[in-house]
């Protein structure tokens, strides 16, 4: 396998903003962007907090990230070593603001030298050739997971890579890309685990790749290669706001993956996964593109109820195969998003939204662009226990009952009523004319590099 390559505003019609460059008054922040909000006064980008009633992350104490950071905990970082130092200990709850300038390559050492898959494998005894020989289904069989020398070596190599590319985010942290610098992280994973109050904005996440996928012959009828890293992963996290980010597999797309044992050697996992009873999350104005398993909400059907409350609004999904999102257990509000399910770079849609394990999904006022080759019944999925209450959704500009279309073609019906009513809905746009314009309006107001 080739080594990884380096590489809310709510509606602008409702909330006019004027962006100017200025010296930020707050100590230690230095020159930066200031957003002039006609309704709320001046708020600089690095201290901006989630607005009231803007989705589940605004619930209770709200999401303020590192807005209370002092000058000693305000950082501008441009490489991996600086990012690691700025993050500090994952158990340190001191508020901090981290401004990422330019693209950080996670696959580098402390001195900035490029690291490859071979570097991570060195000293572990792992080789793909030996692994393939050891667990060939024709010899090893298909009834159990790999074990023994080469599997231990693979796990050791994977652990070396994880130590380098996984960035553990503490509580009370804001991580923001500096405008105009193509800010982002290549080949890395932000891990937001068992912490509260985190903001991630204005960043591009690309090339998050696992050098050492594991073969699982028991996964499905034919087995699967499973990888280990999401670009951003929430595990037991609360009050998280992910806003104006871009997620992509580029430059190594799935079409370039080889096949072993007749199955794709998958080096990508999730883009933004929300699991392990994470709760009170708002995902707004992001772009998700060129990816397969994109957003997982709930890691298993047996997760306890009462958590996994997530709002997903004003995002663009383009060239996405599945999990946009896959939702389990929780109360999920999906509104004012744009889904273009036209096949892109080999990424062909399986479904957009999956509701399973008694998930309670409200999907309202979203727009789907659907080519003639894709049946409307394929846009949703479920296991027969999940619910999707749909309203105001458009397909190619026409009001469409997506749940009815799915249920008419499926033996496992989606339930059509839910046990909750969304109230944290700032920015919700219900007008059919506005929803019809989402493909145009979201094209220039979502993703990294839009905030100034």
């Amino acid at each position: 396998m080739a080594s990884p390559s380096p590489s809310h505003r709510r509606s602008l019609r409702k909330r006019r903003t004027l962006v100017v460059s200025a010296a930020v008054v707050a100590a230690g922040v230095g020159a930066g962007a200031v957003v002039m909000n006609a309704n709320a006064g001046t708020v600089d980008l690095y201290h901006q907090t989630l607005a009231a009633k803007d989705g589940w992350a605004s619930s209770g104490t709200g999401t303020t990230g590192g807005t209370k950071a002092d000058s000693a905990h305000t950082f501008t970082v441009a490489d991996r070593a600086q990012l690691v130092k700025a993050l500090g200990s994952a158990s340190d709850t001191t508020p901090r603001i981290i401004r990422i300038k330019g693209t950080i390559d996670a696959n580098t050492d402390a001195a900035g030298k490029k690291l490859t898959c071979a570097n991570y494998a060195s000293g572990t005894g792992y080789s793909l050739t030996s692994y393939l020989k050891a667990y060939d289904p024709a010899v090893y069989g298909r009834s159990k997971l790999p074990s023994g020398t080469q599997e231990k070596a693979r796990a050791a190599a994977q652990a070396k890579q994880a130590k380098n590319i996984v960035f553990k985010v503490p509580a009370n942290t804001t991580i923001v890309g500096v405008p105009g610098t193509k800010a982002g992280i290549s080949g890395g994973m932000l891990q937001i685990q068992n912490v509260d109050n985190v903001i991630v904005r204005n960043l591009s996440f690309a090339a998050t790749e696992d050098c050492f996928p594991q073969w699982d012959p028991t996964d499905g009828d034919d087995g699967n290669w499973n990888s280990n890293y999401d670009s951003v992963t929430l595990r037991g996290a609360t009050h998280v706001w992910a806003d104006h980010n871009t997620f992509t597999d580029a430059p190594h797309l799935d079409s370039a993956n080889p096949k072993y044992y007749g199955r794709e050697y998958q080096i990508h996992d999730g883009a933004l996964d929300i699991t392990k009873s994470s709760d009170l999350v708002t995902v707004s104005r992001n772009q998700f593109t060129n990816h397969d398993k994109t957003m997982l909400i709930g890691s298993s059907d047996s997760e306890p109820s009462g958590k996994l409350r997530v709002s997903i609004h004003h995002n663009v999904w383009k060239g996405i195969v599945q999990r946009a999102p896959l939702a389990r257990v929780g109360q999920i509000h999906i509104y004012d998003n744009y889904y273009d399910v036209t096949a892109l770079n080999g990424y062909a849609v399986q479904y957009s939204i999956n509701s399973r394990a008694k998930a309670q999904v409200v999907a309202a006022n979203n727009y789907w662009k659907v080519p003639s080759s894709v049946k409307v019944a394929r846009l949703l999925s479920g296991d027969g226990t999940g619910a999707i209450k749909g309203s105001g959704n458009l397909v190619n500009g026409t009001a469409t009952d997506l749940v009815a279309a799915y249920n008419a073609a499926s033996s496992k019906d989606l339930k059509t009523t839910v046990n909750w009513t969304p109230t944290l809905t700032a920015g919700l746009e219900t007008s059919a004319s506005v929803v019809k314009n989402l493909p145009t309006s979201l094209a220039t107001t979502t993703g990294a590099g839009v905030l100034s």
Side-chain angles (χ1 to χ4, degrees):
M1 184 190 113
S3 60
S5 300
S7 310
H8 83 224
R9 297 180 289 247
R10 271 153 299 285
S11 170
L12 299 185
R13 288 171 296 280
K14 291 186 176 182
R15 178 180 163 197
R16 295 182 300 172
T17 58
L18 175 65
V19 180
V20 297
S21 293
V24 179
V25 175
V29 175
V34 174
V35 177
M36 299 292 294
N37 184 321
N39 298 318
T42 302
V43 182
D44 78 84
L45 177 60
Y46 309 113
H47 290 81
Q48 196 161 6
T49 62
L50 180 63
K53 297 187 177 181
D54 190 347
W56 275 116
S58 67
S59 181
T61 57
T63 302
T64 59
T67 191
K68 294 182 180 179
D70 58 21
S71 59
H73 293 89
T74 301
F75 310 90
T76 298
V77 302
D79 59 32
R80 176 189 169 277
Q82 292 173 352
L83 176 58
V84 170
K85 183 177 180 180
L87 287 168
S89 170
S91 62
D92 184 354
T93 61
T94 306
R96 70 195 61 223
I97 294 171
I98 301 174
R99 304 181 303 169
I100 293 182
K101 186 176 182 180
T103 301
I104 291 176
D105 185 356
N107 287 288
T108 52
D109 65 15
K113 181 182 177 181
K114 179 66 181 175
L115 297 176
T116 68
C117 296
N119 294 122
Y120 299 129
S122 178
T124 67
Y126 172 84
S127 81
L128 179 58
T129 300
S130 298
Y131 192 90
L132 292 173
K133 183 178 180 180
Y135 306 112
D136 185 340
V139 178
Y140 186 80
R142 293 182 174 273
S143 63
K144 59 181 179 179
L145 284 170
S147 63
T149 302
Q150 270 300 302
E151 173 56 22
K152 289 180 180 178
R154 185 206 63 82
Q158 190 178 66
K160 284 181 66 176
Q161 184 183 13
K163 186 176 181 180
N164 209 78
I165 72 168
V166 175
F167 303 105
K168 298 180 180 180
V169 181
N172 306 316
T173 295
T174 292
I175 306 177
V176 182
V178 176
T181 69
K182 297 183 179 180
I185 298 175
S186 174
M189 178 172 85
L190 288 185
Q191 180 175 295
I192 307 171
Q193 181 168 339
N194 298 329
V195 297
D196 179 68
N197 193 29
V198 173
I199 295 173
V200 180
R201 304 182 73 201
N202 206 37
L203 293 168
S204 290
F205 294 93
T208 306
E209 301 169 6
D210 188 345
C211 288
F212 311 102
Q214 182 186 37
W215 170 244
D216 183 353
T218 69
D219 185 353
D221 294 334
D222 301 310
N224 274 305
W225 292 95
N226 295 314
S227 55
N228 202 41
Y229 308 112
D230 312 319
S231 292
V232 178
T233 188
L234 279 60
R235 303 172 182 175
T238 53
H239 289 109
V240 178
W241 179 31
D243 174 76
H244 278 101
N245 302 295
T246 296
F247 297 84
T248 179
D249 287 350
H252 183 113
L253 304 179
D254 279 354
S255 58
N257 290 339
K259 288 186 177 181
Y260 299 118
Y261 309 148
R263 303 297 290 165
E264 180 183 351
Y265 191 69
Q266 180 56 269
I267 61 173
H268 302 116
D269 196 10
L272 171 57
D273 280 6
I274 303 165
T275 62
K276 303 291 184 182
S277 294
S278 291
D279 198 23
L280 305 177
V281 179
T282 296
V283 180
S284 60
R285 296 195 177 275
N286 302 280
Q287 289 195 7
F288 299 91
T289 185
N290 292 310
H291 196 81
D292 185 353
K293 298 175 287 187
T294 305
M295 182 183 295
L296 181 64
I297 301 177
S299 46
S300 76
D301 289 355
S302 60
E303 287 208 29
S305 61
K307 301 288 183 68
L308 295 171
R309 291 173 290 180
V310 182
S311 297
I312 303 168
H313 70 82
H314 294 93
N315 301 282
V316 172
W317 313 76
K318 190 172 184 178
I320 298 302
V321 177
Q322 59 181 315
R323 300 186 182 181
L326 184 157
R328 291 181 167 108
V329 178
Q331 296 174 332
I332 295 95
H333 195 195
I334 305 170
Y335 61 95
D336 294 322
N337 297 278
Y338 171 46
Y339 295 86
D340 183 349
V341 299
T342 308
L344 178 66
N345 295 322
Y347 295 90
V349 67
Q350 291 182 13
Y351 65 82
S352 295
I353 301 172
N354 182 314
S355 180
R356 60 183 299 116
K358 299 182 180 179
Q360 304 289 299
V361 176
V362 176
N365 311 305
N366 302 289
Y367 188 109
W368 271 265
K369 179 181 177 181
V370 181
S372 59
S373 59
V374 176
K375 295 181 179 180
V376 173
R378 287 177 53 193
L379 301 180
L380 304 182
S381 185
D383 66 347
T385 71
I388 298 181
K389 180 180 180 181
S391 63
N393 296 301
L394 304 182
V395 173
N396 298 334
T398 301
T400 304
D401 189 335
L402 299 177
V403 179
Y406 171 81
N407 285 347
S410 173
S411 60
K412 294 182 178 180
D413 284 2
L414 286 162
K415 300 181 186 305
T416 59
T417 59
V418 296
N419 62 8
W420 70 294
T421 300
T423 58
L424 303 171
T425 57
L428 174 64
E429 295 158 336
T430 60
S431 165
S433 62
V434 173
V435 176
K436 189 173 291 188
N437 192 50
L438 285 175
T440 301
S441 63
L442 294 185
T444 56
T445 59
T446 57
V450 172
L451 297 176
S452 301

